[in-house]
């Protein structure tokens, strides 16, 4: 609407200044046209520079996310720096178990955080702060331009204890080390067996009535999990 007003004011100024004879009516039309023209330009400027006719609103949505890692036993939240400055980071995840991987937007208005909270399911809360028009009048006046312009987007990831956040490079290193763990040497097998046997014996001594097979299974699973966590810690500490 403002552009139509600007165009009509320009036309009225031209016609009144060129076609009308000198006199009060000519001066009135020239003055009115000039005021409307300058006022329209001022409104456009303030809308563009100071968001005139607009207000800030904040909206938050929470979504369950899934690991982009192919391993169900080792869910990962992957992230990667974009550019050489390291100021922008994108996080990679899935929005459905069988869907394709997606990622956060790399933009100066986007901030990504990994919270310390540990829910039962991985999730991301997206808080979007933006400019919207105060009313339908302003929206029509400025032809809906700049409506929903982003001020700031914050993605807050909350991960269960079973999840780990790694860079894509660290994830590649982890995959290699996990693969090597699945093909242990004879010495490594013997070391693991001895450690498990010792822990089983300690558990049975503490609770003689416990089922030996069940205890062995539990201890083995805990030992393997501890080994994987040790590898993850080593990978995260490796900056190469």
């Amino acid at each position: 609407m403002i552009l139509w007003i600007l165009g009509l004011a320009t036309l009225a100024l031209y016609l009144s200044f060129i076609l009308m004879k000198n006199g009060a009516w000519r001066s009135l039309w020239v003055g009115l046209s000039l005021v409307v023209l300058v006022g329209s330009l001022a409104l456009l400027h303030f809308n563009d520079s100071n968001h005139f006719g607009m207000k800030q609103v904040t909206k938050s949505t929470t979504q369950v996310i899934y690991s982009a890692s192919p391993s169900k036993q080792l869910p990962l939240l992957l992230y990667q720096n974009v550019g050489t400055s390291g100021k922008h980071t994108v996080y990679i995840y899935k929005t459905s178990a069988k869907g394709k991987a997606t990622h956060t937007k790399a933009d100066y208005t986007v901030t990504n955080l990994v919270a310390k909270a540990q829910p039962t399911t991985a999730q991301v809360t997206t808080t979007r702060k933006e400019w919207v028009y105060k009313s339908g009048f302003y929206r029509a006046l400025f032809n809906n331009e700049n409506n929903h312009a982003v001020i700031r987007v914050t993605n807050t990831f909350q991960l269960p204890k079973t999840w780990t956040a790694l860079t894509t490079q660290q994830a590649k290193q982890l995959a290699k080390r996990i693969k090597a763990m699945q093909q242990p040497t004879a010495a490594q097998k013997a070391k693991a067996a001895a450690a498990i046997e010792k822990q089983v014996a300690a558990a049975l001594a503490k609770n003689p009535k416990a089922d030996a097979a069940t205890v062995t299974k539990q201890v083995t699973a805990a030992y393997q999990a501890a080994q994987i966590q040790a590898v993850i810690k080593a990978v995260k500490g490796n900056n190469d």
Side-chain angles (χ1 to χ4, degrees):
M1 186 189 299
I2 192 71
L3 295 178
W4 280 100
I5 295 173
L6 181 62
L8 291 173
T10 303
L11 180 62
L13 178 62
Y14 171 78
L15 293 176
S16 59
F17 191 80
I18 299 298
L19 299 181
M20 294 182 72
K21 295 180 180 180
N22 288 331
W25 283 107
R26 180 175 184 268
S27 299
L28 178 62
W29 276 103
V30 168
L32 285 174
S33 300
L34 190 59
V35 168
V36 174
L37 175 63
V38 173
S40 299
L41 290 173
L43 288 176
L44 282 172
H45 169 73
F46 287 121
N47 175 256
D48 186 60
S49 60
N50 297 318
H51 302 282
F52 174 77
M54 308 183 80
K55 62 182 180 180
Q56 295 183 14
V57 297
T58 301
K59 300 178 181 178
S60 293
T61 57
T62 300
Q63 181 179 30
V64 174
I65 61 172
Y66 300 84
S67 173
S69 166
S71 173
K72 294 183 179 180
Q73 290 73 31
L74 191 60
L76 302 174
L77 175 63
L78 303 177
Y79 64 95
Q80 183 175 353
N81 291 330
V82 178
T84 56
S85 64
K87 293 183 179 180
H88 301 300
T89 302
V90 296
Y91 281 77
I92 306 165
Y93 56 95
K94 291 181 179 180
T95 55
S96 64
K98 296 182 179 180
K100 293 183 179 180
T102 185
H103 60 79
T104 56
K105 188 177 180 181
D107 194 277
Y108 72 95
T109 61
V110 178
T111 300
N112 299 303
L113 303 171
V114 179
K116 293 182 179 179
Q118 294 180 329
T120 54
T121 58
Q123 57 190 32
V124 58
T125 299
T126 300
T127 303
R128 181 185 177 94
K129 190 176 184 180
E130 60 187 18
W131 290 103
V132 298
Y133 282 104
K134 294 179 180 179
S135 66
F137 168 76
Y138 286 113
R139 188 164 57 248
L141 180 64
F142 295 106
N143 198 33
N144 209 37
E145 289 292 328
N146 298 321
N147 200 20
H148 299 289
V150 176
I151 302 171
R152 173 65 57 188
V153 175
T154 302
N155 298 307
T156 304
F157 293 91
Q158 296 180 336
L159 307 177
K161 291 182 179 180
T162 54
W163 279 59
T164 304
L166 294 177
T167 67
T168 52
Q169 187 61 36
Q170 289 171 340
K172 291 178 181 178
Q173 295 178 20
L174 179 62
K176 290 180 180 179
R177 297 198 183 195
I178 295 296
K179 186 177 181 180
M181 286 178 60
Q182 294 172 346
Q183 299 174 338
T185 63
Q188 290 172 332
K189 287 182 179 180
K191 181 180 178 181
I196 292 171
E197 184 179 353
K198 182 178 180 180
Q199 292 179 31
V200 169
L204 290 176
K206 189 175 181 179
N207 184 12
K209 294 182 180 181
D211 180 67
T214 301
V215 171
T216 300
K217 185 177 180 180
Q218 293 173 344
V219 169
T220 301
Y223 178 85
Q224 292 173 344
Q227 293 300 304
I228 291 175
Q229 289 302 315
V231 172
I232 291 174
K233 185 177 180 179
V235 167
K236 295 181 75 171
N238 185 2
N239 297 321
D240 296 334

